[in-house]
Amino acid sequence: MTEPSLSKETNLLDGLNTAQQHAVTVEPGPVLVLAGPGSGKTRVLTSRIAYLMHALDVAPWHIMAVTFTNKAAREMAHRLEALMGERLRGLTVGTFHATCARILRRETRHLLGYAGDFVIFDRDDQLQLVKQALAELDLDEKKFAPARMLHGISSAKNELVTPEKYAASNYISEVTKRVYGVYQELLVSNNAMDFDDLLLNTVLLFDDRPDILQKYQQQYQHVLVDEFQDTNTTQYELLKRLAAPQNNIFVVGDSDQSIYKWRGADFRNINRFRSHYPEAKLVLLEQNYRSTQIILDAAKAVIRHNADRVDKELFTEREDGTPIVVKEAYNETEEAEMVVDTIHDLMLKGYRAGDCAVMYRTNAQSRAVEEVFLRTSMPYKLVGATRFYGRREIRDVVAYLRVIHNPADAVSLNRILNTPPRGIGAKTQQELEDWARKKGLQPAEALVRLATDPDVQHRIGSRAFRVLSDFGELLHAWLTVRDDATVAELLDLVLEQTAYRNYINDGTEEGEERWANVMEFRSVATLAEDAPLSEFLEQVALVSDVDTLSDEENNAVTLLTLHAAKGLEFPVVFITGLEEGILPHSRSMDDMEELAEERRLFYVGLTRAKDHVYLLHTFRRTFFGDASVATPSRFLGDIPIDLVSGGAISQRREESVSRASSWSWDRNRSVPRSGRQSYNRAWNEEYQPSDRRDYTKPQRTAQAGDDVHRGANAGDGDPQTTKAAPNGKHEPQFRTGQRVRHAKFGDGIVIESKVTGTDEEVTVAFKKEGLKKLAASFANLEEIGD
DNA sequence: ACATAACAGTTTTTT
DNA sequence: ACTGTTATGT
């Protein structure tokens, strides 16, 4: 080792404990880091990357670091930036899904059946496809619940099982197998992939094309993985292939924090890793830098009840701390009120609202908390629940953009065909589909044909034809400007020409809010600047709830599920609903493994806390409409009593019953459920740093690691685009995508320009007035800059 | 074709 | 309680 790199190395290791230093500097090859909560694993990962680059002179483009959430990826990139500045160029830091999506995009031409840019289908889209598959197979949705089918399909994909290899051992799996097959065909015909496909297809591609695999193996000579216990079989197989043959694979995980079994994750991958790489170096990170000793002792006592685990010797230098507080509330409203009261007390002691988090097992539990927080003006930010992009209005506008990007997307087309209502009902839709099938066209192509081919042959009724061709004309216009307009401009056109605002904003408060959400989405699109539509849609598809959480968000309490809490930390943690049936969840109580996972979930919640933990449960919990008596969670009993403050549970219960009888009368006052201010804004910030490349800078020449698509879609040379030639009589003066201004109609975009005899006929989409056909000689159109 | 009413299934966790 | 789907009436 040379002198200068040694000194750099020393700097790098400043402030790391012995185990951390060992992990950072261990020689390349397979490395397994078992990292307890709060043991600085992100720090170790980032320092390891820095070490590879500084001490071992590994080029950044030879390094890939994968995480499970964009937020984790972003944080890692931020820290690396702070550590090393611009030497990061070419480093791959991203989620499994985003990283695979990028690979698949680059290799689209090698994917059987996929033409051009595929889109990513989310769960809603998937369910639509499953329903369609069931219909095609003449199976009853009632008997074969689409959600169940989808779960079976997803599990198969997570296990690297294709429809052909799917083992049908009984009737239900026989049906699943067939549905899986049709579902997969439907995905391909929609030119779409679901989340699982991103991983699965990457592995399949690598297995199919060793030459392509080799290309990526050569590029990614060092692979690092965060939250390794959360990998599923497909992800594990992907890593194995990528890391070979050198096997420079550095994984960090903690089996006690494995909480995604239901999603196919298998912490036994940690064991598989050890047997697959017998030479793997093992590093244990056991010092906790986050929590007080009391919190850590409580967490250890809880997790010790799980069988078949290797006990870690977690320790901290933060001695003592305050006892864990366990409280019983009468019902969920009182529970939330207790949270608010406690936060108020803590604020008198110098804590801020932003220091506090309220965690719960199910999203449904957030409602009561939100209502009380609104009523008491306690600021909060909510992670998840009705996700911003899960809202109807957002899904609508995204569906428009998706159809424009990928006309093969029949699921999205279905959604927008009559949204807003434009007279295309079931019957008209059927006529369109029949005609399209007869002509061998996709429905979207058929629409455009109906609108643009004056000699079109059809037997569609005149009324139906009119509404269809009207819509086809709009679609044609959007498709024409697609490659020249920014996402925001496309969105404006769509909103304007469909009068979407009128449709969604019915004058009610809710309508106002819906429109505000659309405008929020618009500003997201504006922030994306000149990112191509494909990339914008991909980012929209791959954001998660935790991603919406930003640290510098204004000072507000964080409300989130225990699942979403993993990887985060807060000075003060409240966990609500510590009741049998909730935590542990009723669906996980009979199975020992699932129960163990519930316990890990509780463990994850506890270990998020730095200073204070409050555990709440209720006497009466309301489920669907009516309330029933709740039993305190068995997990509470796992905590040694000397770590807990407060009297015996039974005594508190009596108190709360008598309190409740005095004031439970007036509690049905409803609180308006609007004003979920913060997370829209947070969502915005998704588009800021690290994940996104800067398109305003001059482009490097394409190299491995680059997304080669930029705006234009594969296989489409756009013959209509003609460069402006202001002189010649027979050359059109306007080109598609040209921005123009009209004295009366305002600003717009040229959709088409045809030379007709001596004049030029220009079709312009005006932002305010919609589509107009104008004669260039009269219209006096003024060209305006981009 | 669309608006309204009735109804069913839903709620575990998510990239 | 809530949402999305289906039946019914205009």
Side-chain angles (χ1 to χ4, degrees):
Chain A
M1 206 69 54
T2 57
E3 201 54 30
S5 62
L6 255 181
S7 70
K8 273 185 217 159
E9 183 183 329
T10 331
N11 289 341
L12 252 167
L13 301 177
D14 277 356
L16 295 181
N17 66 33
T18 318
Q20 289 172 330
Q21 289 186 13
H22 183 215
V24 169
T25 58
V26 64
E27 70 202 58
V31 180
L32 171 62
V33 179
L34 296 178
S39 61
K41 71 181 168 64
T42 307
R43 179 134 187 239
V44 164
L45 270 169
T46 47
S47 303
R48 172 69 174 182
I49 294 172
Y51 177 82
L52 289 174
M53 288 168 55
H54 275 171
L56 304 186
D57 262 334
V58 178
W61 53 87
H62 284 322
I63 300 174
M64 167 198 274
V66 276
T67 62
F68 278 83
T69 66
N70 292 302
K71 183 168 187 290
R74 212 158 48 212
E75 187 176 328
M76 203 181 294
H78 267 146
R79 293 208 200 174
L80 281 166
E81 251 163 55
L83 220 54
M84 293 184 292
E86 59 179 79
R87 287 203 49 198
L88 289 180
R89 205 173 285 273
L91 183 76
T92 298
V93 181
T95 62
F96 271 100
H97 292 86
T99 307
C100 286
R102 183 156 287 187
I103 291 173
L104 291 174
R105 291 225 185 278
R106 207 176 307 135
E107 309 295 344
T108 305
R109 65 184 180 282
H110 303 300
L111 300 173
L112 210 60
Y114 285 95
D117 256 345
F118 59 85
V119 290
I120 298 165
F121 271 11
D122 65 16
R123 199 189 140 83
D124 263 39
D125 304 315
Q126 296 182 55
L127 280 173
Q128 297 300 316
L129 281 194
V130 170
K131 286 177 186 170
Q132 207 179 318
L134 287 168
E136 281 187 22
L137 291 167
D138 224 5
L139 293 165
D140 186 3
E141 272 186 29
K142 301 261 155 56
K143 231 172 137 192
F144 305 101
R148 260 194 111 82
M149 294 284 115
L150 191 55
H151 184 255
I153 294 170
S154 180
S155 306
K157 291 184 173 185
N158 289 331
E159 291 289 323
L160 209 58
V161 172
T162 56
E164 304 79 54
K165 283 197 274 175
Y166 193 96
S169 52
N170 54 29
Y171 181 52
I172 192 88
S173 63
E174 166 62 26
V175 171
T176 308
K177 183 185 171 84
R178 281 158 62 206
V179 174
Y180 182 11
V182 175
Y183 169 84
Q184 210 53 28
E185 282 168 21
L186 286 171
L187 273 174
V188 173
S189 73
N190 278 267
N191 199 26
M193 293 193 194
D194 63 22
F195 291 130
D196 305 318
D197 279 343
L198 296 174
L199 311 168
L200 177 64
N201 285 337
T202 307
V203 175
L204 294 178
L205 173 73
F206 285 167
D207 285 352
D208 190 43
R209 293 289 302 265
D211 56 320
I212 294 177
L213 172 60
Q214 201 187 8
K215 184 172 87 183
Y216 288 99
Q217 285 174 336
Q218 277 165 3
Q219 182 184 350
Y220 297 121
Q221 294 179 11
H222 295 264
V223 178
L224 298 95
V225 189
D226 192 12
E227 308 277 18
F228 184 67
Q229 76 282 355
D230 285 338
T231 50
N232 61 39
T233 300
T234 303
Q235 285 161 331
Y236 180 64
E237 291 298 321
L238 176 78
L239 293 170
K240 251 165 54 180
R241 283 162 178 69
L242 264 180
Q246 301 166 79
N247 296 328
N248 293 331
I249 178 166
F250 185 98
V251 306
V252 182
D254 178 5
S255 44
D256 288 335
Q257 294 184 63
S258 162
I259 54 174
Y260 285 109
K261 182 168 181 270
W262 51 274
R263 205 168 95 183
D266 188 353
F267 65 83
R268 273 167 287 253
N269 280 340
I270 293 179
N271 297 334
R272 284 188 210 157
F273 185 91
R274 295 182 71 172
S275 46
H276 187 255
Y277 303 107
E279 75 279 25
K281 298 284 187 303
L282 181 68
V283 184
L284 266 73
L285 302 183
E286 293 174 312
Q287 178 164 8
N288 174 293
Y289 293 95
R290 178 184 297 150
S291 311
T292 63
Q293 188 67 54
I294 286 181
I295 292 170
L296 214 52
D297 285 347
K300 280 160 74 176
V302 167
I303 200 68
R304 222 172 347 237
H305 283 78
N306 274 358
D308 297 330
R309 54 178 289 281
V310 186
D311 205 22
K312 279 190 288 294
E313 278 311 313
L314 290 180
F315 65 98
T316 176
E317 286 170 1
R318 296 196 59 195
E319 289 170 14
D320 300 333
T322 55
I324 311 269
V325 178
V326 181
K327 281 188 179 176
E328 177 176 69
Y330 175 68
N331 60 12
E332 48 270 296
T333 305
E334 200 196 43
E335 184 179 50
E337 284 163 348
M338 283 178 168
V339 171
V340 170
D341 289 348
T342 309
I343 294 174
H344 279 143
D345 286 351
L346 286 163
M347 284 162 90
L348 296 176
K349 293 176 188 156
Y351 284 97
R352 300 163 355 119
D355 293 331
C356 305
V358 183
M359 302 175 185
Y360 33 77
R361 176 65 234 264
T362 68
N363 272 312
Q365 290 171 255
S366 75
R367 165 150 301 130
V369 182
E370 274 189 90
E371 284 179 2
V372 171
F373 275 41
L374 282 170
R375 176 148 51 80
T376 57
S377 305
M378 175 66 75
Y380 69 93
K381 51 192 166 188
L382 183 100
V383 181
T386 312
R387 283 120 68 220
F388 178 66
Y389 48 87
R391 288 165 173 267
R392 188 180 80 207
E393 60 275 21
I394 302 305
R395 294 189 61 84
D396 283 347
V397 295
V398 169
Y400 272 98
L401 293 179
R402 295 216 297 203
V403 169
I404 292 169
H405 169 58
N406 173 34
D409 183 345
V411 173
S412 296
L413 181 66
N414 252 343
R415 181 178 188 100
I416 63 171
L417 200 55
N418 202 32
T419 307
R422 51 174 72 89
I424 306 178
K427 195 146 164 277
T428 305
Q429 189 184 339
Q430 193 56 54
E431 282 190 277
L432 170 69
E433 271 169 31
D434 291 345
W435 185 77
R437 183 159 309 161
K438 208 169 73 188
K439 293 278 168 184
L441 299 170
Q442 285 163 345
E445 294 173 325
L447 278 170
V448 172
R449 173 71 67 82
L450 287 174
T452 54
D453 180 356
D455 309 317
V456 68
Q457 296 292 311
H458 65 86
R459 288 169 185 278
I460 300 171
S462 65
R463 206 202 67 89
F465 174 76
R466 207 193 68 241
V467 290
L468 287 173
S469 71
D470 282 355
F471 186 55
E473 199 173 321
L474 286 178
L475 190 54
H476 174 62
W478 300 330
L479 291 172
T480 314
V481 292
R482 176 184 66 191
D483 296 337
D484 297 292
T486 64
V487 177
E489 286 168 334
L490 277 176
L491 189 59
D492 283 343
L493 274 179
V494 168
L495 293 175
E496 191 55 43
Q497 294 175 358
T498 59
Y500 192 79
R501 183 178 189 167
N502 276 343
Y503 164 69
I504 204 70
N505 190 350
D506 51 7
T508 65
E509 202 179 311
E510 201 198 352
E512 287 288 345
E513 202 186 322
R514 286 188 185 282
W515 177 247
N517 285 332
V518 173
M519 291 330 282
E520 189 62 40
F521 181 74
R522 188 190 175 280
S523 66
V524 172
T526 311
L527 276 178
E529 290 176 24
D530 56 351
L533 184 53
S534 62
E535 181 150 329
F536 177 73
L537 288 173
E538 177 162 319
Q539 296 203 36
V540 169
L542 294 179
V543 280
S544 73
D545 291 333
V546 235
D547 297 337
T548 66
L549 198 59
S550 82
D551 302 329
E552 285 92 46
E553 190 76 19
N554 31 26
N555 184 20
V557 182
T558 303
L559 272 47
L560 75 181
T561 64
L562 288 162
H563 281 90
K566 190 159 65 122
L568 306 176
E569 61 178 22
F570 302 90
V572 182
V573 167
F574 297 85
I575 305 180
T576 65
L578 273 155
E579 293 144 41
E580 290 290 298
I582 294 188
L583 185 63
H585 193 268
S586 54
R587 296 208 186 174
S588 311
M589 292 199 307
D590 317 323
D591 180 295
M592 279 312 283
E593 289 209 5
E594 289 183 44
L595 188 64
E597 178 141 324
E598 296 289 307
R599 191 176 273 111
R600 290 194 290 269
L601 207 42
F602 184 40
Y603 175 77
V604 165
L606 287 172
T607 52
R608 300 308 95 198
K610 293 179 174 173
D611 307 340
H612 301 285
V613 172
Y614 295 87
L615 306 175
L616 294 106
H617 60 107
T618 66
F619 173 63
R620 273 164 77 81
R621 166 103 23 203
T622 311
F623 270 113
F624 289 108
D626 38 23
S628 55
V629 175
T631 314
S633 169
R634 66 190 77 183
F635 297 154
L636 287 172
D638 295 348
I639 302 177
I641 195 70
D642 56 313
L643 302 176
V644 177
S645 81
I649 282 171
S650 56
Q651 188 194 331
R652 283 200 304 274
R653 179 177 295 176
E654 276 168 37
E655 284 169 14
S656 59
V657 170
S658 62
R659 208 171 339 142
S661 58
S662 62
W663 58 276
S664 63
W665 306 101
D666 64 336
R667 71 180 28 183
N668 275 351
R669 310 200 311 269
S670 65
V671 177
R673 287 186 42 74
S674 57
R676 298 188 171 173
Q677 1 57 334
S678 47
Y679 63 94
N680 288 1
R681 220 195 110 226
W683 199 68
N684 256 334
E685 289 167 7
E686 165 61 23
Y687 290 89
Q688 300 296 352
S690 60
D691 261 4
R692 219 186 104 234
R693 297 203 312 289
D694 189 352
Y695 283 91
T696 60
K697 301 253 167 64
Q699 295 289 302
R700 297 160 287 155
T701 47
Q703 53 175 264
D706 279 343
D707 190 338
V708 286
H709 301 290
R710 215 184 153 243
N713 289 301
D716 157 335
D718 199 354
Q720 288 177 35
T721 306
T722 319
K723 286 276 164 280
N727 42 355
K729 272 219 162 133
H730 298 285
E731 285 297 306
Q733 188 187 343
F734 296 95
R735 66 183 156 88
T736 300
Q738 170 67 51
R739 258 140 273 235
V740 293
R741 182 166 296 156
H742 184 273
K744 191 160 151 227
F745 300 140
D747 292 356
I749 300 182
V750 174
I751 285 185
E752 201 179 356
S753 185
K754 272 193 292 221
V755 177
T756 55
T758 55
D759 204 347
E760 184 179 347
E761 187 187 275
V762 196
T763 311
V764 184
F766 288 104
K767 287 191 177 154
K768 295 278 151 29
E769 307 285 332
L771 282 186
K772 300 272 182 211
K773 274 196 173 123
L774 305 163
S777 58
F778 289 103
N780 220 353
L781 288 169
E782 181 194 345
E783 292 192 26
I784 56 178
D786 294 296

